């Protein structure tokens, strides 16, 4: 019995909780997640793995049939978590992989509604984030070749007797948390990103923000390489058709897309417009029209947006029930020849200052408030 308790002991018991206080935080994204295929772009359930390799870097993503692979809409949870961590550290507060929050905080911050259906969808997203298994060589140390983890190690909800959800908590994997604490690996994104309805659109914005950034000349991709880089299950002609339609509508906030041809090669050029997207520590303004109709099979309905309200009272320690067991999945490696680099140019990297850590964030401070 003692060995059983040792195996299933909650990771939260070893971590200090980071209590997310009220207030909005400027959205930030993690660079590694923006540049490689870590998520399904489809609205329908995906169980086929993603196997990607380029420049000596491998990414393998595996799903279980019960939940399917975590989607690019589920990734909003990780963007929200990264935003809260960065904002708190900017204010000098101590953070942790163990986050406590109310579902209302999370949903309103990423532009979702807060009805019963939306809470149910949030729990489905958390289940997919926990059950999806990633194996990658990104940011591995000198003597380590692969890192395996899930996007969420464990999560739980605190409910009243009538079933109303009062609070939630989850534990992020160390790989993701270290990629957020290292400020050189974090980028600010446009809040209008959350209003993009299509999976390819969302993925394309993250690629644009990561590669084109604020460079006046933008970035040039071969469409065939973008198709491989996306991890999409769509055939190349269908994927290229989706890109042409997106380029026609120009839905990406802060960027314009141009289809070019070089002989038989089809290319996509991404150019920043207005250079409104700020560096890591500067919020950005919404640019362009991102509330667009759905296209193809990779889109979902746009979520509503509501004004923030006061945070609900967080639960006492004794109110937290038993743990939610972490998912584990063994998987095999797969490799193929790496494709050519995305561009001959190198995006400029702006250094960012590190914050001095202080005691845990008190509930009367607002990490998303006015500076």
């Amino acid at each position: 019995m003692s060995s059983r308790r040792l195996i299933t002991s909650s990771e939260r018991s070893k971590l200090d909780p980071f209590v997310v206080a009220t207030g909005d935080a400027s959205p930030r994204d993690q660079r590694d997640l923006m540049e490689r295929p870590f998520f399904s772009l489809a609205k329908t359930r995906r169980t086929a793995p993603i196997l990607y390799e380029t420049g000596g870097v491998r990414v393998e993503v595996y799903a279980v049939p019960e939940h399917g692979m975590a989607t690019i809409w589920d990734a909003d949870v990780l963007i929200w978590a990264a935003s809260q961590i960065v904002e708190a550290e900017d204010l000098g507060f101590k953070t942790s992989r163990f986050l406590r929050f109310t579902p209302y905080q999370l949903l309103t911050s990423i532009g979702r509604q807060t009805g019963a259906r939306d809470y149910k969808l949030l729990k489905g997203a958390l289940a997919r984030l926990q059950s999806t298994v990633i194996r990658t060589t990104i940011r591995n140390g000198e003597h380590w070749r692969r890192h395996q983890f899930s996007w969420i190690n464990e999560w739980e909800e605190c409910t009243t007797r009538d079933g109303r959800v009062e609070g939630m908590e989850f534990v992020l994997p160390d790989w993701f948390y270290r990629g957020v604490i290292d400020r050189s690996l974090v980028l600010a994104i446009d809040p209008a990103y959350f209003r993009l309805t299509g999976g390819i659109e969302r993925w394309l914005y993250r690629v644009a923000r990561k590669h084109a950034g604020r460079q006046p000349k933008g970035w040039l991709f071969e469409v065939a390489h973008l198709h491989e880089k996306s991890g999409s299950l769509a055939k190349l002609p269908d994927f290229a058709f989706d890109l042409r339609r997106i380029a026609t509508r120009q839905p990406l906030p802060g960027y314009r897309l141009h289809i070019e041809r070089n002989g038989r090669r089809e290319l996509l050029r991404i150019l920043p417009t207005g250079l409104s997207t700020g560096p890591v520590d500067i919020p950005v303004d919404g640019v362009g029209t991102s509330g667009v109709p759905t296209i193809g099979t990779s889109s979902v309905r746009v979520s509503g947006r509501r004004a923030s309200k006061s945070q609900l009272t967080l639960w006492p320690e004794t109110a937290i029930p038993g743990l939610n067991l972490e998912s584990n999945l063994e998987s095999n490696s797969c490799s193929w020849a790496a494709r050519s680099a995305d561009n001959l140019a190198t995006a400029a990297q702006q250094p960012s200052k590190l914050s001095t850590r202080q005691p845990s964030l008190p509930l009367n401070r607002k990490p998303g408030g006015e500076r």
Side-chain angles (χ1 to χ4, degrees):
M1 183 64 70
S2 60
S3 62
R4 174 68 176 174
R5 279 197 293 267
L6 179 62
I7 294 175
T8 61
S9 62
S10 172
E11 190 175 8
R12 290 167 295 175
S13 63
K14 305 173 184 178
L15 297 170
D16 294 327
F18 166 41
V19 180
V20 177
T22 54
D24 296 327
S26 300
R28 275 93 165 186
D29 208 345
Q30 208 281 324
R31 286 177 181 265
D32 296 320
L33 274 60
M34 302 169 77
E35 149 173 44
R36 278 108 180 184
F38 281 106
F39 302 97
S40 169
L41 306 184
K43 183 179 178 181
T44 55
R45 180 181 300 183
R46 172 172 177 167
T47 56
I50 295 175
L51 304 171
Y52 175 79
E53 181 173 358
T54 184
V57 171
R58 294 175 58 85
V59 171
E60 305 172 19
V61 186
Y62 298 89
V64 296
E66 180 182 0
H67 300 293
M69 184 177 294
T71 70
I72 199 162
W73 297 277
D74 300 337
D76 288 357
V77 174
L78 301 177
I79 294 175
W80 173 83
S83 306
Q84 296 296 330
I85 291 170
V86 170
E87 188 81 359
E89 291 218 333
D90 278 352
L91 294 175
F93 297 115
K94 183 179 178 181
T95 61
S96 168
R97 295 190 293 119
F98 174 15
L99 276 69
R100 279 184 176 169
F101 58 96
T102 64
Y104 185 91
Q105 290 174 307
L106 193 159
L107 291 171
T108 55
S109 294
I110 61 175
R112 307 285 178 89
Q113 297 182 12
T114 56
R117 178 177 178 274
D118 302 282
Y119 282 76
K120 182 178 180 181
L121 291 175
L122 172 59
K123 288 189 281 187
L126 294 175
R128 284 186 294 273
L129 289 167
Q130 184 189 13
S131 61
T132 299
V133 173
I134 301 92
R135 300 176 72 181
T136 182
T137 59
I138 299 174
R139 288 191 277 119
N140 277 359
E142 179 182 356
H143 302 295
W144 297 94
R145 296 195 55 85
R146 257 188 318 223
H147 198 105
Q148 179 167 312
F149 58 92
S150 295
W151 293 122
I152 290 179
N153 290 356
E154 55 178 277
W155 67 276
E156 236 173 330
E157 62 179 352
C158 179
T159 61
T160 61
R161 291 184 178 180
D162 60 0
R164 182 170 59 89
V165 179
E166 286 192 329
M168 280 186 171
E169 58 185 36
F170 58 62
V171 178
L172 296 168
D174 184 63
W175 184 90
F176 177 77
Y177 182 71
R178 285 188 285 110
V180 173
I181 296 302
D182 184 346
R183 300 300 297 279
S184 67
L185 298 177
V186 179
L187 282 175
I189 63 173
D190 198 310
Y193 165 81
F194 296 117
R195 300 199 297 272
L196 292 175
T197 59
I200 295 180
E201 293 170 7
R202 283 172 157 248
W203 169 80
L204 199 56
Y205 172 82
R206 299 172 87 183
V207 170
R209 180 67 184 97
K210 169 62 176 63
H211 290 282
R214 298 163 57 85
Q215 299 179 93
K217 294 184 180 180
W219 206 265
L220 187 65
F221 287 99
E222 185 175 358
V223 169
H225 178 56
L226 274 177
H227 177 248
E228 182 179 352
K229 191 178 181 72
S230 72
S232 172
L233 290 176
K235 296 180 180 179
L236 177 57
D238 296 332
F239 180 85
F241 179 72
D242 273 346
L243 289 188
R244 294 187 208 107
R245 292 190 65 179
I246 294 172
T248 299
R249 294 184 294 103
Q250 298 295 344
L252 302 191
Y255 295 95
R256 289 193 64 82
L257 308 175
H258 298 277
I259 299 294
E260 302 178 5
R261 293 191 179 275
N262 183 356
R264 301 181 62 181
R265 297 167 61 217
E266 189 171 21
L267 308 171
L268 178 70
R269 185 177 296 278
I270 304 174
L271 291 169
T273 58
L275 297 179
S276 63
T277 304
V280 172
D281 295 316
I282 301 178
V284 294
D285 299 322
V287 178
T289 303
S290 57
V292 295
T294 59
I295 64 166
T297 59
S298 60
S299 55
V300 295
R301 292 184 179 181
V302 65
S303 300
R305 297 177 64 86
R306 297 190 180 185
S308 300
K309 296 183 180 179
S310 299
Q311 174 183 339
L312 299 176
T313 303
L314 292 175
W315 57 92
E317 291 287 343
T318 55
I320 305 302
L323 61 92
N324 187 36
L325 296 180
E326 180 178 355
S327 301
N328 291 301
L329 182 65
E330 292 298 328
S331 54
N332 296 320
S333 301
C334 181
S335 64
W336 54 81
R339 296 295 297 261
S340 59
D342 293 331
N343 209 299
L344 296 177
T346 301
Q349 304 292 332
Q350 293 193 5
S352 57
K353 61 181 179 179
L354 296 175
S355 302
T356 304
R357 295 196 174 191
Q358 301 292 334
S360 298
L361 177 65
L363 294 178
N364 61 349
R365 291 301 300 272
K366 298 172 63 177
E370 295 295 331
R371 296 176 181 241

